Amino acid sequence: QVQLVESGGGLVQAGGSLRLSCAASGRTFSSYAMGWFRQAPGKEREFVAAISWSGSNTMKGRFTISRDNAKNTVYLQMNSLKPEDTAVYYCAATMKADGRTPRRLYEYDYWGQGTQVTVSS
């Protein structure tokens, strides 16, 4: 069982930056692939970024995912934020990725409660 707790969300002006953190419980964090998703009001949850257990990650321009296995934490650095980035951001974990960087919701077994990011224009 893995528990995930996101933090770092908040209100930021367009063009600003935020770094989200996701702290994971458990002693096998380094074996998990981790992902970030987001959900805006009235929209479906969508993929943002993922990182494998070995550190291979997906690239999404303004957003960068990274991990610190010593701290059981995954990060999402978000730069040049836009109002359309406003959403609840969720982190997720899976041990079944076999070195991949999963992009689909159903591929993840554990989810955090989410952290709100609001970008004002």
Side-chain angles (χ1 to χ4, degrees):
Q1 190 77 11
V2 175
Q3 291 186 329
L4 305 173
V5 179
E6 302 96 335
S7 62
L11 175 64
V12 63
Q13 288 188 334
S17 298
L18 280 176
R19 188 177 79 158
L20 306 183
S21 299
C22 173
S25 64
R27 292 175 288 181
T28 57
F29 174 76
S30 60
S31 301
Y32 285 83
M34 303 295 296
W36 284 99
F37 291 77
R38 68 185 184 185
Q39 187 166 18
K43 295 188 177 181
E44 294 186 349
R45 194 170 298 190
E46 65 175 1
F47 173 79
V48 175
I51 188 166
S52 71
W53 65 267
S54 64
S56 298
N57 61 16
T58 59
M59 300 301 293
K60 193 176 172 70
R62 299 177 291 116
F63 295 1
T64 301
I65 188 172
S66 62
R67 67 189 300 158
D68 185 339
N69 289 338
K71 296 182 178 180
N72 278 18
T73 301
V74 63
Y75 304 98
L76 183 69
Q77 178 67 43
M78 305 186 294
N79 298 326
S80 301
L81 284 162
K82 304 175 181 179
E84 51 263 43
D85 294 319
T86 295
V88 177
Y89 284 71
Y90 299 89
C91 73
T94 177
M95 194 181 273
K96 299 179 290 187
D98 296 327
R100 298 178 295 111
T101 49
R103 296 171 179 259
R104 297 175 178 81
L105 277 72
Y106 69 83
E107 297 184 276
Y108 288 88
D109 301 310
Y110 304 101
W111 292 84
Q113 293 298 310
T115 185
Q116 176 70 47
V117 172
T118 302
V119 184
S120 63
S121 57

